[in-house]
Amino acid sequence: MSGFAALHQVYANGDPAYTGRVTVPLLLDTATGRLVSNESADLVRMLPRAFAECATTPCDLYPKALRPDIDSWNDRIHPHLNNGVY
């Protein structure tokens, strides 16, 4: 998928009815043009599983032993930093 000069065009192409803010990161299904997610915490959790077969070096960005700490930090950071633009 290419030919876009600005990120808002990618959002509009993926969902013409979208009226929210244009934010990054953005996971985009380039085969369908579908916006998958722009939530960084979700991306960290889903990427290792979704792309495991493509990885040359396996990587777990959300290891089970650290999940309580990761979630605790995310609960503190997300509302004030990640969602600060809203």
Side-chain angles (χ1 to χ4, degrees), residues 6-9 11-12 18 20-24 26 38 86:
L7 190 57
H8 71 88
Q9 296 169 320
Y11 272 79
Y18 183 76
R21 291 187 184 263
V22 174
T23 62
V24 293
L26 173 64
N38 66 348
Y86 304 114

